[in-house]
Amino acid sequence: MIMNNGSLLQNVSPNLDSLESGVASILTLNNKKKNSDKYLRQQLTPEACVFSAVRGVVDTAIDAETRMGASLIRLHFHDCFVDGCDGGILLDDINGTFQGEQNSPPNANSARGYEVIAQAKQSVINTCPNISISCADILAIAARDSVAKLGGQTYNVALGRSDARTANFSGAINQLPAPFDNLTVQIQKFSDKNFTLREMVALAGAHTVGFARCSTVCTSGNVNSAAQLQCNCSATLTDSDLQQLDTTPTMFDKDYYDNFNSNQGIMFSDQVLTGDATTAGFVTDYSNDVSVFLGDFAAAMIKMGDLPPSAGAQLEIRDVCSRVNPTSVASM
């Protein structure tokens, strides 16, 4: 009926013209937006471009799996506590030639997030051409962005770290705090890195997010014997069997310290923080006021991120975070 009505066709035609005009306008706007986005990227300072590129990857990873935030914080910690913040933990083993930190007992089948750091490095390369950024820097940024994403206090990350051309398998065993460490051992390990007792207790608060593997929790000496566990330690355990480290494992809050009040710190090394009057006082401070904890944690993370590589270490800016450059252009 419409096709036989010429006047109706004439009435419809202008509307079709308007629709085409509207589509053209939308396409023009989209093109303008794309050009505007490109312009804005070009206007970013080099540091801002790097921060934006890394944050986009980290946010996407945490949106896909909230646990990844805690893993990235831990990965930065495990990097910096072994011979300084040098990206050593990111180096893959080379069969028969090189043994790095990834398969050292504290990290084997436990440290994770390597692929997120690799993606962040590639994002910087793609988004911020002609900007050289170390993998150690990307680890520091990713940890900061994870803290903020999970509800913690953001903080400044200074750039300028370099990547080591080696890693330290035994150093990961000897330098990293372990779940079975008593308070005396923990104090010594943090003191070796020039941290105060208060900073030690604040950094322990990273356990306010994330999970431990049940295989770790169920190992004698690793767990607070009074803690109520989710793990079935009598069962055959896999790496997917997990124990949350406090009652709100996806939120950066003070519940980790609150749990100590009822003797429910999960790991042995956590609950013993209440065994000394000084460290117990810091636990109380953080349990009483989350803002105090968040501020102290942020300050301690800045200090940790400044731990220098070992004296005499050969350094570079890696092109690929999992392997050294074929020829170093920044050896020191």
Side-chain angles (χ1 to χ4, degrees):
M1 182 172 63
I2 293 176
M3 293 181 64
N4 292 330
N5 188 331
S7 63
L8 185 55
L9 281 174
Q10 291 174 353
N11 289 335
V12 172
S13 295
N15 292 336
L16 291 174
D17 291 341
S18 297
L19 180 59
E20 291 174 356
S21 176
V23 170
S25 297
I26 291 172
L27 291 174
T28 300
L29 287 172
N30 285 340
N31 287 332
K32 285 183 177 179
K33 182 180 186 303
K34 289 178 181 178
N35 291 334
S36 175
D37 289 345
K38 182 179 180 181
Y39 176 78
L40 287 173
R41 286 197 301 271
Q42 291 172 342
Q43 298 308 302
L44 290 174
T45 65
E47 282 195 359
C49 187
V50 169
F51 290 143
S52 178
V54 175
R55 184 173 61 251
V57 172
V58 170
D59 283 352
T60 298
I62 297 175
D63 286 341
E65 182 198 16
T66 308
R67 180 189 172 205
M68 184 54 69
S71 297
L72 292 171
I73 297 168
R74 183 171 184 256
L75 197 60
H76 177 47
F77 183 96
H78 279 220
D79 179 45
C80 292
F81 248 70
V82 181
D83 298 339
C85 305
D86 61 2
I89 194 172
L90 301 175
L91 290 173
D92 289 342
D93 287 0
I94 301 174
N95 190 30
T97 304
F98 173 74
Q99 184 181 46
E101 298 168 20
Q102 292 184 13
N103 289 305
S104 188
N107 297 323
N109 301 314
S110 174
R112 56 198 299 273
Y114 301 110
E115 72 285 358
V116 178
I117 301 303
Q119 291 165 12
K121 174 74 169 181
Q122 191 60 50
S123 179
V124 171
I125 292 171
N126 294 343
T127 309
C128 313
N130 304 318
I131 296 177
S132 182
I133 183 76
S134 70
C135 299
D137 274 345
I138 290 175
L139 272 171
I141 300 166
R144 185 272 309 276
D145 291 347
S146 296
V147 171
K149 178 79 169 174
L150 297 177
Q153 178 176 312
T154 192
Y155 52 89
N156 292 329
V157 173
L159 304 182
R161 298 168 188 80
S162 296
D163 301 316
R165 287 181 57 81
T166 190
N168 191 341
F169 180 93
S170 61
I173 299 173
N174 299 325
Q175 297 177 44
L176 285 170
F180 51 78
D181 284 346
N182 62 35
L183 189 57
T184 300
V185 172
Q186 290 186 69
I187 290 172
Q188 185 60 58
K189 287 181 176 179
F190 278 86
S191 177
D192 289 344
K193 308 297 180 184
N194 294 316
F195 286 106
T196 66
L197 290 182
R198 188 178 187 94
E199 290 166 337
M200 179 187 79
V201 176
L203 286 173
H207 283 178
T208 191
V209 289
F211 299 79
R213 293 176 303 153
C214 287
S215 56
T216 297
V217 171
C218 293
T219 298
S220 177
N222 286 350
V223 70
N224 169 20
S225 59
Q228 297 178 8
L229 302 179
Q230 298 164 304
C231 300
N232 180 2
C233 293
S234 62
T236 300
L237 300 172
T238 69
D239 286 340
S240 62
D241 295 314
L242 302 173
Q243 167 69 49
Q244 60 191 49
L245 291 174
D246 77 357
T247 48
T248 54
T250 62
M251 295 176 59
F252 213 95
D253 55 23
K254 66 182 183 70
D255 279 19
Y256 168 76
Y257 300 104
D258 292 343
N259 293 165
F260 290 171
N261 296 328
S262 54
N263 198 21
Q264 289 302 303
I266 299 299
M267 309 310 295
F268 172 79
S269 57
D270 290 334
Q271 190 63 45
V272 295
L273 294 176
T274 64
D276 171 87
T278 301
T279 55
F282 301 141
V283 168
T284 300
D285 289 345
Y286 298 150
S287 178
N288 287 342
D289 191 337
V290 67
S291 64
V292 174
F293 162 54
L294 296 179
D296 282 3
F297 182 83
M301 287 292 283
I302 292 172
K303 182 174 179 177
M304 187 184 75
D306 288 338
L307 288 174
S310 297
Q314 286 192 319
L315 303 170
E316 63 184 6
I317 305 298
R318 280 185 223 136
D319 298 326
V320 177
C321 291
S322 59
R323 64 174 185 263
V324 299
N325 297 337
T327 302
S328 177
V329 295
S331 296
M332 298 181 188

